[in-house]
Every structure is written in structure tokens, then in C-alpha cells.
Amino acid sequence: MRPLLKKLLNILRVVLGIGLLYYVLTATGGWETVLALRHYPWVLLGLLALPLFGAAVESVRLGLLSRAQGMQLSFARGYQLVAIGTLFNFAIPGGTG
């Protein structure tokens, strides 16, 4: 894939994500919660850090499990697999994730 096309697709993904977040916050009245969290920034930081930390722990665990089977799995690749599994867990019903 061409580097320019790849960069444009990444920008499109970010814009789409921000647009969807804006839509959800507007449709559900979530802006009040966002404004309330402004008074407690440590809560927001914790809410953002918790899933990232959990995915990092899962990535390390997945790397250890793959190493026990004689395969090498980098932390970054394991993190990507955890992210894909999480997406499947939320988007597809059943035990796919």
C-alpha cells in the first residue's frame, strides 16, 4: 500500500472515530458526564489508563503462552491481537473474542 494512501486511511479512521464519539455523546446526553468529569481529571485519566493497562497485561500473557509453545510473539503484535479480539468480542455475538 502506498504511504500516502495509508496515511490518509489513518486520518480517516481518526476522523470517523471522533465523529462517532461526538454522535454518541450528543444522542445519549453524555456531554453532562463529560463536563462533570472536568472537575475530577484523575478519574478520567484512570478510566483511560485502565483498559490500556489491561490490554498490555493480556499482551504479555499472550506472549508468555506463545513462548511456551515455541513461538515468538512480540509485545506489539500481541497488543494488536488483543485489540482485534476485543473488537470481535464487542462487535460479534458469541465467544469469538
Side-chain angles (χ1 to χ4, degrees), residues 69-91:
Q69 295 296 319
M71 299 181 297
Q72 291 291 350
L73 183 68
S74 68
F75 176 79
R77 182 64 67 181
Y79 204 89
Q80 289 174 350
L81 288 173
V82 168
I84 292 169
T86 303
L87 171 70
F88 284 159
N89 191 33
F90 286 118

Side-chain angles (χ1 to χ4, degrees), residues 8 11 15 22 38 44 49 55 72-73 75 80 90 96:
L8 285 174
I11 291 171
V15 168
Y22 178 80
R38 157 180 82 168
L44 184 59
Q72 291 291 350
L73 183 68
F75 176 79
Q80 289 174 350
F90 286 118
T96 307

Side-chain angles (χ1 to χ4, degrees), residues 51-68:
L52 297 175
F53 178 71
V57 169
E58 277 190 63
S59 176
V60 169
R61 189 187 76 174
L62 190 59
L64 292 172
L65 287 172
S66 67
R67 195 174 312 146

